[in-house]
Amino acid sequence: MIKVTAGADAPERCNQAFTVAAAALASGVPVSLWLTGESSWFALPGRAKEFALAEAAPLEDLLAAVLAAGRVTLCTQCAARRDITVDDVIDGVRIAGAPTFVEEILGEGVQALVY
């Protein structure tokens, strides 16, 4: 599980989380990516395409890889604070809260990384 709290406010930390998620998937590791805080905006269509960081893989491509082979979740409270609803998010992104997060991180063999 990878929880990313940073967005455009901390671009290197944000991109690292998405890069690690995509690399884990490429290595055959199941990935659940949680978008929280400022990374919540990347649950919206087109937002990842607007993000740019020199010498880094495009965030849009990294997110697409995770959506194709893993799971992407947008924090319920983070979405509400930004007036993001289930009708607004990219196909494949679910909105869930703390009980779901806790259930996932307490799973057998789960390793949680927070960026």
Side-chain angles (χ1 to χ4, degrees):
M1 170 181 287
I2 298 171
K3 181 178 182 181
V4 55
T5 62
D9 59 324
E12 287 185 299
R13 189 162 36 107
C14 173
N15 192 269
Q16 288 169 357
F18 282 84
T19 299
V20 168
L25 284 166
S27 298
V29 176
V31 171
S32 177
L33 178 67
W34 280 71
L35 305 176
T36 67
E38 285 303 297
S39 72
S40 300
W41 297 113
F42 298 124
L44 298 176
R47 290 293 184 102
K49 186 175 185 172
E50 296 171 2
F51 180 93
L53 180 63
E55 306 299 325
L59 198 68
E60 179 180 35
D61 295 347
L62 298 171
L63 177 57
V66 178
L67 283 167
R71 181 179 2 196
V72 178
T73 305
L74 171 59
C75 163
T76 301
Q77 290 181 3
C78 300
R81 281 189 283 274
R82 290 160 179 81
D83 294 321
I84 299 171
T85 70
V86 68
D87 295 326
D88 299 323
V89 299
I90 299 166
D91 286 341
V93 173
R94 69 177 178 162
I95 297 177
T100 303
F101 180 82
V102 170
E103 181 181 335
E104 281 191 30
I105 64 170
L106 293 178
E108 187 174 331
V110 173
Q111 175 70 45
L113 303 173
V114 179
Y115 287 86

